[in-house]
Amino acid sequence: MNIKEFSVETYMTNHENDCLYNLSDTCVDSLSIYDLKSDEDIIENIMHTKMDYGPIVGSNRLKDGILSLYEKGNYDNITITHGAINANELVMMSILNPGDHVIALTPSYQQMYEFPRTLGCDVSIIELKEENHWMPFIEEFKQVINQNTKLIALISPNNPTGTTFDKAYMLSLIELAKEYDCYILVDEIYRGINTKTKKLTPSFSDYYDKAIITSSLSKVFSFAGLRLGWIKGNKDIIDLINYRRDYHIISSGPLDDYLGCLVLENKDWILQRSMSICEKNKAYILDWLEKEPLVSCVLPDEGTVCFLHYHINIPSLELCERLQKETGVFFVPGSCFDQEYFLRFGFAQNYDILVRGLEIFSKWSHENA
């Protein structure tokens, strides 16, 4: 199997642990086990947990927590994975065959279009444009969809642009998918903190039988270290994925399952905390953007990430490497998403780090403009 380098992940691995101000982390400021609230003695339970494989496809308690995030579904509609990246991989390996046609977006998470290519699929890319607020037109999907289309692969909210498909758009896309009887895979890992509506954005899986969604506890739930993700879909597709799953991960393990239950049972205050962090940070960012002529941005209503457009004649890889070396401020370059003069900006981290990092970035930008 030939596969291209996963540009954003490689860059993160090589740079994010050697910075002072991480402005590209897409997770809400992380929590610890001690932050979880429960009537149980969590530490005692952990210490007495037998370290066998645990529930292979996830405990019912864990599935109850996951199902609470959706309007419809039962235990047969859920299986557990090692994070959302493993969930996406398992979905695509389970339903795609060489010669199938896939529709994906760019800029977006490289896995959603590059991995199908490794499976021998024909991939059509719809390019998101800043002047359209990073939203594709339904007409663009109609132009590339065909009788061989097996899958439309999306992230909503999108990484790195924050593009989110509201209910009206979602229903229009679903009607198109029904016409061609194709699956829609939606990575919804950034769903859950819409600072405009203050509500959960509707999930594709609640409105279309051939929609498959993936998510995890990494981004809006602040527990990336658990590496616990899930897939939600109809029973037939979950059964198919579970057959494939046996070749890859066996189980997520009893500790992740138990701690995942506690996180989801704390979801109300965790999501409210995430909402508060994003609201406070966005308020500062909007004020900063008004005062900073060298940067512009379409700041999304939902999610934790956006795409900063900088107006300096320095290629993004060079800018990021120089900026980090000279100041300790870390961004992922837009070149990792095949977009120049952009930076992937995660705006849900510690407020003081965000403020200081942007101040330093502004000063450096004007010195190098």
Side-chain angles (χ1 to χ4, degrees):
M1 177 188 290
N2 293 318
I3 192 166
K4 287 187 177 180
E5 179 183 29
F6 204 148
S7 299
V8 64
E9 296 298 344
T10 299
Y11 193 86
M12 293 282 287
T13 299
N14 291 339
H15 292 83
E16 70 175 329
N17 292 320
D18 186 29
C19 67
L20 298 176
Y21 306 96
N22 188 337
L23 299 188
S24 208
D25 190 346
T26 57
C27 299
V28 179
D29 194 24
S30 296
L31 292 165
S32 72
I33 295 170
Y34 275 108
D35 293 315
L36 295 175
K37 300 173 176 64
S38 177
D39 293 333
E40 304 176 20
D41 188 333
I42 298 173
I43 302 302
E44 188 71 11
N45 287 348
I46 289 174
M47 297 304 291
H48 284 90
T49 296
K50 290 186 177 181
M51 296 306 295
D52 56 13
Y53 284 106
I56 299 300
V57 295
S59 68
N60 287 346
R61 180 181 177 184
L62 179 59
K63 291 182 178 182
D64 281 332
I66 293 168
L67 289 168
S68 71
L69 302 171
Y70 307 97
E71 296 176 14
K72 300 176 182 178
N74 56 50
Y75 295 155
D76 291 334
N77 301 130
I78 302 290
T79 195
I80 307 304
T81 64
H82 287 170
I85 192 167
N86 176 235
N88 293 332
E89 176 190 47
L90 287 173
V91 170
M92 290 187 277
M93 286 193 300
S94 298
I95 67 174
L96 294 176
N97 295 298
D100 285 340
H101 179 238
V102 175
I103 300 172
L105 307 176
T106 185
S108 190
Y109 200 54
Q110 189 176 340
Q111 182 190 32
M112 303 303 272
Y113 52 87
E114 206 59 63
F115 193 75
R117 286 175 174 149
T118 72
L119 301 175
C121 296
D122 176 29
V123 180
S124 293
I125 300 292
I126 296 173
E127 184 177 352
L128 304 176
K129 296 180 175 63
E130 184 184 27
E131 57 265 32
N132 296 332
H133 292 267
W134 302 114
M135 284 296 299
F137 296 108
I138 288 290
E139 199 60 38
E140 293 178 282
F141 286 97
K142 292 180 179 179
Q143 289 170 1
V144 294
I145 199 167
N146 60 56
Q147 296 300 326
N148 198 38
T149 302
K150 186 72 166 290
L151 178 69
I152 299 172
L154 310 170
I155 302 175
S156 180
N158 185 45
N159 173 9
T161 62
T163 305
T164 304
F165 300 102
D166 62 18
K167 187 175 180 180
Y169 196 109
M170 177 184 71
L171 293 177
S172 296
L173 193 56
I174 285 172
E175 285 306 308
L176 182 62
K178 286 180 177 178
E179 184 180 344
Y180 288 85
D181 192 33
C182 66
Y183 292 101
I184 302 178
L185 167 63
V186 188
D187 182 332
E188 294 181 347
I189 195 171
Y190 296 97
R191 171 179 176 256
I193 43 173
N194 189 313
T195 53
K196 182 178 181 180
T197 67
K198 306 294 195 296
K199 297 178 181 178
L200 275 176
T201 298
S203 170
F204 276 76
S205 66
D206 290 327
Y207 293 87
Y208 182 39
D209 187 57
K210 296 192 76 171
I212 309 166
I213 70 94
T214 60
S215 193
S216 86
L217 299 179
S218 295
K219 307 300 182 183
V220 302
F221 289 100
S222 302
F223 274 91
L226 287 185
R227 307 308 306 133
L228 194 144
W230 60 86
I231 303 168
K232 180 172 181 271
N234 69 51
K235 183 180 185 302
D236 290 343
I237 194 64
I238 293 299
D239 286 346
L240 179 63
I241 289 168
N242 280 337
Y243 294 144
R244 166 70 69 173
R245 189 178 176 282
D246 286 340
Y247 283 91
H248 295 270
I249 68 170
I250 307 295
S251 72
S252 59
L255 287 183
D256 277 6
D257 192 291
Y258 173 62
L259 292 173
C261 293
L262 296 176
V263 172
L264 289 164
E265 288 161 8
N266 279 264
K267 72 178 187 300
D268 290 339
W269 78 261
I270 290 176
L271 291 178
Q272 184 54 54
R273 170 186 179 268
S274 297
M275 185 83 71
S276 297
I277 289 172
C278 287
E279 285 181 322
K280 182 178 181 180
N281 288 0
K282 281 184 182 180
Y284 176 81
I285 293 165
L286 286 170
D287 182 64
W288 176 76
L289 286 169
E290 285 187 7
K291 299 173 182 176
E292 180 46 79
L294 296 180
V295 181
S296 58
C297 181
V298 177
L299 194 60
D301 294 326
E302 187 162 8
T304 66
V305 62
C306 61
F307 223 19
L308 287 185
H309 188 176
Y310 65 90
H311 308 289
I312 310 171
N313 191 26
I314 304 175
S316 59
L317 178 60
E318 179 186 345
L319 183 147
C320 287
E321 290 186 339
R322 284 181 53 193
L323 178 67
Q324 183 169 352
K325 182 178 180 180
E326 295 170 21
T327 72
V329 174
F330 168 67
F331 287 107
V332 168
S335 60
C336 289
F337 300 92
D338 297 321
Q339 297 281 324
E340 271 304 346
Y341 305 105
F342 285 90
L343 305 170
R344 204 270 298 276
F345 176 31
F347 53 75
Q349 63 275 80
N350 176 277
Y351 179 79
D352 293 335
I353 290 175
L354 180 138
V355 169
R356 184 59 181 149
L358 289 180
E359 288 174 347
I360 294 170
F361 174 49
S362 283
K363 182 175 183 294
W364 186 92
S365 297
H366 286 272
E367 290 173 349
N368 289 274

